[in-house]
Amino acid sequence: MNRQGIICAGNWIVDIVHEIDQWPNKSELATILREKNGVGGGAANVVMALSHLDCDFPLVPFGAIGQDDHSRIILDACMALDLPIDHLIRRTDIPTAHTHVMSVPGDSRTFFYHGGANDSLSQQDFTTGFFAQSNARIFYLGYLMLLEQLDRIENGTSGAAQILARAQKAGLTTCVDLVSASSENFSTIVSHAAPYINYLIVNEVEACRASQIPLATDTVPPDVTLIEAARTLLASGINDAVIIHCPEKALWLGQNAEPILMRPDRLPPEAIVSPVGAGDAFCSGILYGIHEGLSPEKTLILAHTIATASMTGVTATESIPPLKQLMPELFDQTQPHD
């Protein structure tokens, strides 16, 4: 089968992004400079970033939402991008997940999250035959640690592990992202899913929590820590590669391969409007590279370029341009192909 396309399953969240002048101390006041609603979450950000890139292959959003004003924002956003909505499952008794994002321009952001319908997404929502009947090349699932039913471990397995196993058995390449949540089961949830994950795409905090390798410092760990974490995750069962990203660098470590480290130029702090969704934008570049068979080096460059573009807008994907505009060299027929 000549597979084409990416299924993006997992979190669908309405982000209410507040740009604030400072992070206040307890009982103090911060001024909201701007406020904007957007759609966020792993599946949402990744599929919308790919849509903004004008990918020439099918994109399939998948997840659970409510039947409320927030769900309307999600549906309208998908339809505006000509994304199909038939696999966005409408819950009648559960609200759509939403997050209040407090973002300090040029600095960091903090999330206040209500799980809503995301917490209800379960194996039963992936109907019998869904994967077998799909022509997609990639099944993306994100985020583990923020999908209550799929994270649950029962009888020695998890819902996510079983879904990923079904996708692999049907011939899809599986890609998984995590979220930097505090969970005592963090590494256990990942280890149960690992044998059914082709590519694990995480930041440095998630990599260290999943591998139980301590961060070397309170900021960015040295290269040796990232490589050790990636090797530990590969040894736990990840099939093809572990990709770790952080502001200063990105690592690609494949099975039986030398680590590939990239240290890109960073965006000046004054150029950053909001870092919300930068990791998901990076992930979208990784998925595109895997789908198109690009080299790991070229895929990392692409992922960083998309992540950088995403940070110049308020929401996670609004500032991502078409790929032919962002990286025209990918389409230059005089350049060698991977």
Side-chain angles (χ1 to χ4, degrees):
M1 181 184 294
N2 182 23
R3 293 187 171 275
Q4 290 289 312
I6 302 177
I7 301 168
C8 294
N11 295 105
W12 288 81
I13 304 167
V14 171
D15 287 330
I16 304 104
V17 181
H18 308 273
E19 286 191 26
I20 58 177
D21 62 342
Q22 62 173 334
W23 185 257
N25 293 319
K26 187 176 181 179
S27 301
E28 291 185 352
L29 181 143
T31 299
I32 297 174
L33 305 174
R34 276 198 295 179
E35 181 178 305
K36 187 169 184 177
N37 291 343
V39 179
N45 285 343
V46 167
V47 76
M48 290 186 179
L50 289 166
S51 180
H52 278 280
L53 293 172
D54 282 350
C55 298
D56 59 357
F57 48 77
L59 300 170
V60 180
F62 196 112
I65 59 177
Q67 291 192 6
D68 48 24
D69 291 342
H70 286 153
S71 70
R72 191 71 255 166
I73 292 173
I74 289 172
L75 295 171
D76 288 348
C78 287
M79 289 187 288
L81 293 172
D82 292 326
L83 291 168
I85 60 173
D86 47 321
H87 292 297
L88 290 178
I89 302 155
R90 308 290 300 277
R91 305 293 197 219
T92 59
D93 56 343
I94 308 174
T96 302
H98 55 278
T99 302
H100 289 274
V101 183
M102 304 300 170
S103 178
V104 181
D107 192 356
S108 188
R109 73 276 196 207
T110 304
F111 303 88
F112 297 85
Y113 173 67
H114 176 66
N118 282 333
D119 291 340
S120 73
L121 188 66
S122 71
Q123 295 179 66
Q124 287 67 41
D125 293 316
F126 296 83
T127 57
T128 302
F130 172 73
F131 292 114
Q133 295 165 10
S134 172
N135 193 42
R137 180 173 296 176
I138 292 174
F139 175 66
Y140 162 88
L141 181 63
Y143 317 105
L144 297 191
M145 314 303 155
L146 211 60
L147 293 164
E148 185 177 288
Q149 296 293 321
L150 300 186
D151 289 333
R152 184 171 296 164
I153 298 168
E154 294 179 337
N155 301 318
T157 187
S158 69
Q162 293 180 62
I163 289 169
L164 291 163
R166 286 171 52 194
Q168 274 194 343
K169 186 176 180 180
L172 284 79
T173 296
T174 58
C175 300
V176 169
D177 195 2
L178 313 179
V179 73
S180 303
S182 297
S183 170
E184 61 183 18
N185 293 323
F186 201 104
S187 62
T188 304
I189 290 170
V190 176
S191 66
H192 278 84
Y196 313 107
I197 299 173
N198 290 101
Y199 296 89
L200 181 65
I201 308 157
V202 292
N203 66 27
E204 77 279 16
V205 173
E206 295 152 3
C208 288
R209 287 181 183 172
S211 63
Q212 298 185 306
I213 302 296
L215 283 165
T217 70
D218 291 333
T219 55
V220 178
D223 298 351
V224 65
T225 301
L226 292 185
I227 294 169
E228 185 179 359
R231 283 181 173 151
T232 301
L233 290 167
L234 282 172
S236 74
I238 302 298
N239 294 198
D240 293 299
V242 173
I243 300 102
I244 304 175
H245 59 89
C246 48
E248 288 78 10
K249 67 190 79 172
L251 167 71
W252 183 299
L253 184 63
Q255 290 283 7
N256 305 313
E258 290 299 311
I260 299 167
L261 269 166
M262 183 190 72
R263 291 179 173 83
D265 294 333
R266 297 181 65 185
L267 195 64
E270 62 273 14
I272 298 175
V273 176
S274 172
V276 171
D280 296 325
F282 181 94
C283 185
S284 73
I286 298 295
L287 295 183
Y288 183 94
I290 293 169
H291 189 280
E292 297 299 288
L294 302 182
S295 68
E297 293 87 350
K298 188 172 288 187
T299 300
L300 288 175
I301 293 169
L302 171 62
H304 170 73
T305 303
I306 298 171
T308 299
S310 78
M311 292 191 289
T312 62
V314 176
T315 64
T317 60
E318 67 180 16
S319 58
I320 297 174
L323 193 54
K324 288 185 178 179
Q325 175 184 330
L326 188 66
M327 287 190 69
E329 60 271 26
L330 284 179
F331 303 90
D332 185 351
Q333 298 300 314
T334 65
Q335 296 293 320
H337 293 281
D338 296 311

